[in-house]
Amino acid sequence: MRSKTGLLMTAAIFAAAGAWSASGQGAASTFTQAQVDAGRAAYAASCAACHLNDLSGSNDALPLTGRAFLGAWGNRNAKQLYDKIHGSMPANAPGSLDEKTYTDLTAFILYANGAKPGSVALTPASTTRIGAVANGTAPADLTRPTQTAQAAAPAAGAAAPPRSQMSVPGRFVANLQPGLRVEGNIQNYRPVTAAMMTNPPDGDWLMYRRNYQGWSYSPLNQITTANASSLQLKWMWSLYEGGTTEITPIVHDGVMFLSASGNTVQAVNAKNGELLWENRLGPPPRSAGPGSSTEETRSLGLWGNNVFVATPQADIYALDARTGKVVWKNRLVDKEGIGGNTGGVIVINGKVLTGLTNCARKGSGDHCYISAYDAETGKRLWKFVTVALTGQPGGNSWGGMPDNDRMGAETWIAGTYDPVLNTTYWGTAQAKPWRRDLRGSKDGATDYANSTVALDPDTGKMKWWYNHAPGESLDLDEVFERVLVDHGDQKSLLTIGKTGVLWKLDRVTGKYLDHKQTLFQNVYTKIDPKTGVPTYRKDIIDAQVDQWLASCPGPEGGHDWQATSYHQPSDTLIIPLSQSCVLMLGNGSQIYYEMPGTEGNMGRLSAYRASDLKPLWSFQQRSPFLTAALSTGGGLAFIGDFDRVFRAVDVKTGKTVWQTRLGTTVQGHPVSFSIDGKQYIAVTTGLGGGSPVLKPNAMLTEVHRPPNGQAVFVFGLPDAK
């Protein structure tokens, strides 16, 4: 595989160098107004869910208008733009549209950057230099409505589309008209209490990563390294197709709560998979794109008799856990069209805490925030803005930018909580735009982006913050899980982000304690051993929009949302890692290559001792891991991958003791629970998602996955004879 790595890297460098070679010497060509109108409709149907209605981009979906776009594409020609769109869009289904549609989309993007329509139709072979006809300025009517918005979803009662259309991003993918479809009547449901949340019953999985400390660990020990080889499928339940699946099955007293496409919430009998109730909150999904309005919540929450759902459309619901009926509903955002949620919720002492994504536009005065809601009434109790504003601690870290222009610091992952300290800990994403030269923050640290923030859950007041990546500039954010671990009197917080740096902080004070680099990186030249402050390469600091930069890891992330597990009996952290690099242009255009020294192995699972961050074991494979890690009292860790394999490994050695192959990518958050004294393991399969899926999908051409197959699978030991 080593030669393949070299070939990929050479090809990437050649492509980067040659991307600017076209001079647009061909005959001048334009496009027609009819192509613009058709392209606008095609964009609304196939692109807007990810790149947004105004083409400004969101997360992995790049901006398609403005300075960033023109800086990258101004010296390239229309044919190259057509080829790029045809070869990469829609996400997860490149090349699935016809030639006319791709041509119309190209015309619309040119129009969105100030090019004027004429009488000559654009063709896929046009060599017109983009910078000769476009200036990067969007026309006033760019976001005017189209009829496609109504056409994207069928009328009530309409038949579902043909099966062949069900997984093509940008098309309607399932007949999921909103509204309660199966009303339940679960008897003898025990209300979830503060005591249960603080000390979860062994057989339950009550929240994202099971306990307030975020361990992703179950104390159940019936399934062991000695008998795991006999695990067998007990039941499976198909989920609705269309959206992104990264969910956590939540289990209480033998009832499993699931979230699926179209904000469909279901309760099933966790022993046999029988449906107990279903509520289709809606709206139906439009695509499975990165960070789009169709990316489903990673976790539900329980408290009292309610189950809580935060949606990508910025709604928050309380449903009756016994019947599925809506108890209350509120909006997460103060202004329509700004913000959503994919990270789920954490419920603390009768307050439902959640974050926001896609929650700011430059100059708007809107900011991302974490907020809390009364579990009984849905009333908002407080909100904490996740960017430091003028006059606040850290407010001078944005290079003098006006407060209205300070964007980013989204919260993609629900926080954790220390009941003794009464403190909740959240990770924040990068500042936006994530290139510092486009952002305008100069060399400022952009607090509280890329930080751990410690909040009082009763008031939302900040106790401390720690910025892991001051002034980050390569989409390498530090937003993921915060794991809380004690060693004697030392109360620690451990977290790992896209650079693959495993951080340890004092969770009482926020003081830096230690770090460990888990895989190859070339972004930082050093990390201060006393403060933990990293130093970036000079070319990253001085980067311009028309320059290519190498980044290892790339935006797939050395570590992403696939959460770490803390195996408490052995003090072991088990961390899913990804090994890929990127050449990145100023607008975010990316060319991927394999990480040096990996022999083409993109997936890595590594274990570290939490007390001193000592490496314990590691294994690599070609396919990256697309689930969180789950560890159990039986000495096992469970993990699933891009190539459909779900396996159990020995926590002590990392050796595989059991594996099976499922219908499509094993993706989500595995859990363990028990019913009638029997232990079970549940995991989901799914599609869609951001960098951890899109980057491997572009590189692993030898891996074939079906375009459907979202489901939950439950495994257990054979029944006694």
Side-chain angles (χ1 to χ4, degrees):
M1 296 296 292
R2 193 167 290 129
S3 61
K4 183 175 182 180
T5 301
L7 286 172
L8 278 171
M9 192 178 302
T10 301
I13 294 171
F14 175 81
W20 300 92
S21 62
S23 60
Q25 296 300 315
S29 177
T30 58
F31 50 85
T32 66
Q33 186 62 49
Q35 287 180 306
V36 171
D37 293 340
R40 189 195 308 272
Y43 179 87
S46 298
C47 311
C50 300
H51 292 273
L52 304 184
N53 292 333
D54 62 359
L55 284 74
S56 61
S58 173
N59 304 301
D60 289 292
L62 307 177
L64 300 177
T65 187
R67 177 187 168 196
F69 177 84
L70 200 65
W73 286 91
N75 285 327
R76 303 168 81 175
N77 63 39
K79 180 183 184 300
Q80 289 174 305
L81 179 59
Y82 173 94
D83 290 344
K84 176 67 174 179
I85 299 170
H86 183 280
S88 60
M89 290 291 127
N92 297 324
S96 62
L97 309 178
D98 57 39
E99 180 181 282
K100 178 183 182 301
T101 301
Y102 282 115
T103 306
D104 293 339
L105 282 168
T106 305
F108 177 62
I109 292 172
L110 292 174
Y111 177 76
N113 284 278
K116 304 298 183 184
S119 59
V120 179
L122 183 73
T123 72
S126 170
T127 57
T128 297
R129 186 173 65 87
I130 292 173
V133 296
N135 58 17
T137 302
D141 69 343
L142 179 62
T143 58
R144 70 174 173 81
T146 70
Q147 294 180 348
T148 305
Q150 289 82 18
R163 186 72 175 178
S164 61
Q165 297 181 13
M166 281 193 172
S167 295
V168 178
R171 298 180 184 171
F172 184 70
V173 288
N175 187 16
L176 293 177
Q177 286 78 31
L180 183 71
R181 287 304 175 99
V182 177
E183 183 176 335
N185 185 23
I186 298 175
Q187 300 293 312
N188 302 317
Y189 182 87
R190 284 195 305 161
V192 174
T193 64
M196 290 181 187
M197 299 290 277
T198 302
N199 296 291
D202 287 357
D204 280 0
W205 196 284
L206 297 180
M207 68 183 85
Y208 192 29
R209 306 200 303 278
R210 191 177 180 275
N211 64 356
Y212 275 142
Q213 293 77 21
W215 289 357
S216 293
Y217 164 76
S218 168
L220 297 175
N221 58 12
Q222 188 179 81
I223 302 170
T224 68
T225 55
N227 61 23
S229 60
S230 62
L231 280 169
Q232 59 184 221
L233 180 66
K234 293 299 183 179
W235 59 266
M236 65 86 66
W237 173 257
S238 293
L239 301 170
Y240 291 114
E241 304 288 345
T244 295
T245 297
E246 300 170 2
I247 66 174
T248 307
I250 300 296
V251 184
H252 176 45
D253 282 356
V255 178
M256 179 181 290
F257 299 95
L258 300 164
S259 55
S261 296
N263 298 314
T264 300
V265 184
Q266 299 170 325
V268 301
N269 185 323
K271 186 175 183 178
N272 57 27
E274 181 69 24
L275 181 66
L276 301 175
W277 59 252
E278 175 182 300
N279 196 331
R280 303 179 183 181
L281 299 173
R286 290 178 54 200
S287 78
S292 72
S293 61
T294 58
E295 189 165 13
E296 305 304 329
T297 182
R298 292 190 173 100
S299 182
L300 307 170
L302 298 180
W303 184 267
N305 288 319
N306 291 340
V307 54
F308 301 95
V309 190
T311 77
Q313 295 76 27
D315 292 313
I316 184 166
Y317 293 85
L319 307 181
D320 190 312
R322 301 161 295 187
T323 66
K325 289 184 176 181
V326 174
V327 176
W328 55 256
K329 174 186 177 183
N330 201 350
R331 293 290 288 159
L332 294 175
V333 294
D334 300 321
K335 183 185 296 184
E336 293 304 308
I338 301 294
N341 181 282
T342 60
V345 304
I346 181 172
V347 188
I348 300 172
N349 295 327
K351 299 177 181 66
V352 186
L353 278 62
T354 191
L356 282 179
T357 60
N358 301 329
C359 40
R361 297 289 179 269
K362 192 175 181 66
S364 67
D366 300 302
H367 298 106
C368 300
Y369 53 81
I370 301 163
S371 51
Y373 301 82
D374 185 283
E376 296 297 325
T377 66
K379 177 184 177 182
R380 183 188 291 171
L381 302 175
W382 54 258
K383 74 175 186 179
F384 169 78
V385 173
T386 53
V387 296
L389 303 176
T390 302
Q392 295 179 340
N396 61 354
S397 66
W398 284 76
M401 288 178 63
D403 285 350
N404 282 1
D405 291 344
R406 302 182 184 191
M407 302 189 304
E410 297 156 297
T411 43
W412 290 92
I413 304 293
T416 46
Y417 173 60
D418 184 329
V420 176
L421 298 175
N422 194 33
T423 304
T424 182
Y425 304 90
W426 294 67
T428 61
Q430 69 279 73
K432 299 290 180 67
W434 41 260
R435 281 286 295 257
R436 65 175 71 190
D437 54 314
L438 296 174
R439 185 162 69 226
S441 57
K442 303 175 184 176
D443 291 334
T446 62
D447 294 331
Y448 314 112
N450 282 304
S451 297
T452 298
V453 294
L455 307 178
D456 183 325
D458 296 327
T459 64
K461 298 293 178 63
M462 184 172 63
K463 296 186 175 183
W464 56 259
W465 86 97
Y466 180 87
N467 193 329
H468 300 271
E472 195 279 325
S473 196
L474 291 172
D475 194 19
L476 298 174
D477 46 333
E478 299 278 347
V479 69
F480 309 110
E481 70 277 3
R482 268 59 186 165
V483 181
L484 313 183
V485 176
D486 292 346
H487 295 102
D489 294 334
Q490 178 61 64
K491 297 180 180 296
S492 302
L493 177 149
L494 296 122
T495 186
I496 180 170
K498 284 190 176 183
T499 58
V501 177
L502 174 60
W503 304 96
K504 179 184 280 191
L505 305 178
D506 185 309
R507 71 173 185 269
V508 179
T509 65
K511 179 183 177 182
Y512 164 82
L513 297 176
D514 199 2
H515 76 273
K516 176 69 68 174
Q517 185 68 51
T518 62
L519 40 69
F520 174 77
Q521 69 88 15
N522 63 6
V523 176
Y524 304 143
T525 58
K526 63 179 180 179
I527 297 177
D528 189 291
K530 294 183 178 180
T531 65
V533 175
T535 299
Y536 289 90
R537 293 190 339 242
K538 189 174 187 303
D539 61 332
I540 295 174
I541 295 172
D542 297 336
Q544 299 297 314
V545 71
D546 60 349
Q547 295 175 342
W548 290 86
L549 289 173
S551 173
C552 288
E556 178 191 0
H559 180 74
D560 210 284
W561 60 262
Q562 305 96 304
T564 299
S565 178
Y566 174 59
H567 185 257
Q568 192 270 339
S570 63
D571 193 38
T572 301
L573 296 165
I574 302 150
I575 310 174
L577 299 167
S578 295
Q579 302 180 132
S580 69
C581 302
V582 70
L583 284 170
M584 185 180 294
L585 192 58
N587 76 324
S589 296
Q590 297 168 19
I591 302 171
Y592 318 120
Y593 60 95
E594 295 165 358
M595 183 174 284
T598 64
E599 298 186 336
N601 289 303
M602 296 180 66
R604 182 171 172 179
L605 189 69
S606 294
Y608 293 82
R609 191 162 60 199
S611 60
D612 57 7
L613 307 189
K614 177 185 176 181
L616 300 175
W617 54 258
S618 182
F619 79 84
Q620 303 179 99
Q621 63 176 35
R622 175 67 172 154
S623 178
F625 297 104
L626 261 294
T627 73
L630 159 70
S631 64
T632 69
L636 295 167
F638 292 84
I639 192 80
D641 69 32
F642 187 90
D643 198 23
R644 305 188 286 125
V645 174
F646 184 51
R647 74 179 69 223
V649 304
D650 188 323
V651 166
K652 293 181 180 179
T653 65
K655 301 295 184 182
T656 297
V657 298
W658 170 84
Q659 69 178 45
T660 187
R661 209 166 189 210
L662 303 180
T664 193
T665 291
V666 191
Q667 182 168 300
H669 293 77
V671 306
S672 186
F673 60 93
S674 66
I675 302 174
D676 298 333
K678 296 181 180 179
Q679 182 184 359
Y680 299 91
I681 306 293
V683 69
T684 53
T685 55
L687 300 166
S691 292
V693 177
L694 295 177
K695 274 57 171 179
N697 197 48
M699 297 177 69
L700 298 181
T701 55
E702 76 274 23
V703 174
H704 305 289
R705 306 177 299 158
N708 58 336
Q710 306 201 139
V712 57
F713 294 81
V714 175
F715 298 90
L717 297 173
D719 294 330
K721 295 182 180 180

